[in-house]
Amino acid sequence: MKSLLAAISTTTKPALRSHLQPTNHLRILRATYAMQHTVPSLSDKSLLKDKTYINGQWIGAKSGKTFEVHDPASGKLIGTMPEMDKEDTEAAIQAAADALPAFRKLTGRERARMLRKWYTLMMENAEDIAKLITWENGKPMADAKGEVNYAANFFEWFSEEAPRVYGATIPASIAGNRVYTTKEPVGVCGLITPWNFPAAMITRKVGAALAAGCTVVAKSPGETPFTAAALAELAHRAGIPPGVFNIVTALKNTPEVGSTITSSNTVKKVSFTGSTGVGKLLMKQSSDTLKKLSFELGGNAPFIVFDDADLDVAVAGAIASKFRSSGQTCVCANRLYVQKGIYDDFAQAFTAKVKEFKVGSGFAGDVTHGPLIHDRAVDKVDAHVRDAEKQGGKVLVGGQKMPDLGSNYFQPTVIRDMTSKMNLAHEETFGPVAGLFPFDSEAEVVKLANDAEVGLAGYFFSRDVQRCFRVAEALEVGMVGINTGLISDPAAPFGGVKWSGFGREGSKYGIDEYMTVKMVTLGGMGMPLQGS
């Protein structure tokens, strides 16, 4: 790691050359050896940590074990982080428990100032954090910078919510009684976050938890732990008290860490973002201790384009929704339903935009799409494409792995003539593949859209106001985007229905997930006034 810290002080200028794939006319930016081995130069090198943060201290695993983190663009080693286990996790939980009594007694305004300082530090160090995200996640720098701004905004938002946690006065049914409620922090919280938004998925949970007066143990993703560590360093600088924000790192031991968090009676709340299968497991593990839970799980978002839609707006929305972060988002469009009257025009315009993409290392200035997170993700994407082709789907652009760039690259792909029998119709691809399904009527497409066990997000495009209300209310999802492909906003409640989970993050509702409502009844308050 010391050699790595020395390496980041040297700026490598990448040499790049463009290459046009003759088979699919997709312009691909092919990185040379120099580009593939670029190490980002951080302005503040102290943000790169190879330890984890517990009780205000930077420490390793008690076992001394570590795990490796690799750059998905090049496959090269970034560094190592502590491979923590049950004992380490219990120590983190105890630190959070010890810090809770004092932290929960702070006023909302005092906690708000800490979050606001954390927000300010994130914005001051946005470039460095974005570099860490691109390095370990692979997304292009432009996307990474957007994530940093989005992530920081949760600290800003919840810094404003912290002083505004209101109870209620309730008219009692019994004469002489007075009833009121207060909101209290639920206690120690276990937060388990994914790799696809290594900054935002942490801040969206931690910001709400700290605003409510809770202390936390956050399990950072094994693929992207350095971003989380940088956030912890900024938390330290922001004056977050020791034990209030703790990070546990693990790769191989992730199941053990998760089980320790869910089985601990000290942890009163678990928030998880990830797959439906893991969510079900965590829910079972939490049942013995009856924890408060909020889960944001798998998606299979329908994206509907009606005949009366503005074609250019719909294409732009589909590009933004489907190919953001190379399709590795839980709310990205997975099934694109296009009404037959506009189907061919949409397919042509949409494909033309995809052909403009440039694929390569996220540090190259004109790259639009980076690698997938690992080769297993590539294999799943490839399997969906091969299945669609086998059943009659026609690849309009892309459709192939890109071994000349590395093992984690796959061409941005558009497939037409999709059917409900294909795997992509029922499974979340989580990659840069857009399947276009034709449909006839509104009733037909709503039925197709709702034919899924999950229900996180849905999108549709139409200029008919009555249809907008009708379809929005008919879609069985937790979030709907109408004439837009981007719905994430710190002010908007984020969450799903069905097997996409429960609970909401962000917005005024997000802080409630980390609080309990206490009711107080005062008797004998209807006595006659003295001297009457």
Side-chain angles (χ1 to χ4, degrees):
M1 191 67 180
K2 290 182 180 179
S3 61
L4 182 61
L5 289 169
I8 64 174
S9 64
T10 302
T11 302
T12 304
K13 292 183 179 180
L16 303 172
R17 63 187 178 87
S18 296
H19 173 68
L20 186 65
Q21 288 281 3
T23 57
N24 59 17
H25 308 292
L26 177 68
R27 289 191 300 164
I28 301 170
L29 190 69
R30 299 187 64 185
T32 63
Y33 181 91
M35 184 69 246
Q36 291 285 15
H37 294 76
T38 294
V39 176
S41 176
L42 302 183
S43 298
D44 184 349
K45 300 171 182 59
S46 66
L47 291 176
L48 184 61
K49 304 288 188 182
D50 63 351
K51 303 294 184 182
T52 195
Y53 187 72
I54 294 178
N55 203 25
Q57 302 294 320
W58 292 101
I59 64 173
K62 294 182 178 180
S63 66
K65 295 180 179 179
T66 61
F67 64 92
E68 295 183 346
V69 181
H70 294 87
D71 177 359
S74 66
K76 295 299 180 180
L77 179 68
I78 294 175
T80 62
M81 289 292 275
E83 182 72 76
M84 308 192 94
D85 56 19
K86 179 179 180 180
E87 185 179 3
D88 297 300
T89 307
E90 288 175 340
I93 292 171
Q94 188 59 51
D98 292 342
L100 179 64
F103 188 69
R104 68 182 295 163
K105 289 180 180 178
L106 296 178
T107 67
R109 183 65 64 189
E110 289 172 316
R111 294 194 295 270
R113 293 190 186 106
M114 294 179 187
L115 288 171
R116 183 71 191 193
K117 179 63 174 176
W118 204 353
Y119 161 77
T120 300
L121 289 169
M122 277 196 71
M123 297 307 296
E124 290 175 352
N125 293 274
E127 184 81 11
D128 281 349
I129 298 173
K131 288 178 180 178
L132 290 174
I133 292 173
T134 294
W135 198 10
E136 61 183 355
N137 171 278
K139 65 179 64 176
M141 273 293 289
D143 284 357
K145 290 177 181 179
E147 181 186 342
V148 174
N149 185 69
Y150 177 56
N153 283 344
F154 284 107
F155 287 152
E156 181 182 43
W157 174 268
F158 285 113
S159 75
E160 296 162 348
E161 289 294 294
R164 296 178 175 84
V165 176
Y166 301 120
T169 301
I170 303 170
S173 301
I174 301 174
N177 281 5
R178 301 292 183 267
V179 178
Y180 70 90
T181 65
T182 61
K183 293 182 179 180
E184 299 181 344
V186 67
V188 175
C189 300
L191 314 177
I192 304 175
T193 62
W195 51 262
N196 58 339
F197 287 90
M201 295 300 96
I202 291 177
T203 63
R204 192 163 71 185
K205 298 178 190 296
V206 172
L210 269 58
C214 298
T215 57
V216 305
V217 174
K219 164 61 176 70
S220 64
E223 297 86 351
T224 57
F226 290 106
T227 301
L231 294 182
E233 171 62 22
L234 297 181
H236 187 81
R237 299 178 192 178
I240 305 298
V244 170
F245 176 52
N246 307 278
I247 293 182
V248 176
T249 57
L251 184 63
K252 185 181 71 172
N253 290 343
T254 293
E256 180 180 340
V257 170
S259 176
T260 303
I261 290 172
T262 54
S263 62
S264 171
N265 198 45
T266 303
V267 176
K268 303 302 182 184
K269 151 86 179 188
V270 170
S271 177
F272 168 70
T273 298
S275 71
T276 297
V278 174
K280 289 180 178 181
L281 176 62
L282 295 177
M283 191 171 182
K284 289 179 181 178
Q285 292 175 349
S286 300
S287 62
D288 284 345
T289 51
L290 294 176
K291 299 187 190 308
K292 188 172 185 178
L293 305 174
S294 55
F295 287 170
E296 190 259 287
L297 307 177
N300 187 352
F303 186 101
I304 305 168
V305 183
F306 289 101
D307 283 345
D308 62 0
D310 183 309
L311 180 62
D312 292 337
V313 172
V315 168
I319 292 292
S321 176
K322 173 66 258 184
F323 290 105
R324 182 187 181 194
S325 298
S326 297
Q328 297 176 114
T329 81
C330 53
V331 294
C332 74
N334 201 64
R335 300 166 288 155
L336 281 72
Y337 297 104
V338 185
Q339 202 159 13
K340 288 182 178 178
I342 202 174
Y343 186 85
D344 290 335
D345 291 340
F346 180 90
Q348 181 178 1
F350 184 59
T351 301
K353 289 292 184 183
V354 175
K355 287 180 179 179
E356 297 176 2
F357 293 167
K358 289 185 177 180
V359 180
S361 168
F363 288 112
D366 49 357
V367 157
T368 60
H369 294 79
L372 300 187
I373 191 64
H374 44 53
D375 55 3
R376 299 186 304 279
V378 173
D379 289 342
K380 182 178 182 180
V381 170
D382 185 63
H384 276 192
V385 174
R386 304 284 80 81
D387 172 74
E389 282 187 313
K390 183 179 179 180
Q391 300 194 60
K394 180 182 178 182
V395 175
L396 300 180
V397 64
Q400 299 296 327
K401 297 181 181 180
M402 305 172 70
D404 55 331
L405 289 182
S407 62
N408 297 335
Y409 288 92
F410 197 92
Q411 296 172 343
T413 302
V414 179
I415 309 175
R416 63 168 294 154
D417 304 327
M418 298 290 293
T419 71
S420 59
K421 295 181 180 180
M422 298 173 183
N423 290 338
L424 189 147
H426 305 287
E427 300 175 7
E428 187 176 23
T429 304
F430 227 66
V433 178
L436 307 183
F437 298 74
F439 73 91
D440 286 308
S441 69
E442 179 182 309
E444 175 195 6
V445 76
V446 168
K447 183 178 180 180
L448 289 169
N450 290 338
D451 185 20
E453 293 175 327
V454 294
L456 189 57
Y459 309 83
F460 69 90
F461 286 71
S462 172
R463 286 182 282 195
D464 184 327
V465 174
Q466 292 178 326
R467 169 177 278 164
C468 286
F469 279 92
R470 197 165 55 235
V471 175
E473 293 172 5
L475 290 177
E476 296 173 356
V477 295
M479 299 173 286
V480 178
I482 303 175
N483 295 324
T484 181
L486 297 174
I487 58 175
S488 296
D489 185 329
F494 194 102
V497 298
K498 300 196 287 190
W499 284 12
S500 288
F502 42 82
R504 293 296 180 266
E505 294 187 314
S507 81
K508 70 173 186 177
Y509 302 106
I511 196 169
D512 287 340
E513 299 289 340
Y514 296 89
M515 307 198 82
T516 58
V517 176
K518 175 178 284 184
M519 181 275 290
V520 178
T521 298
L522 292 84
M525 302 301 291
M527 300 296 290
L529 296 176
Q530 292 295 322
S532 61

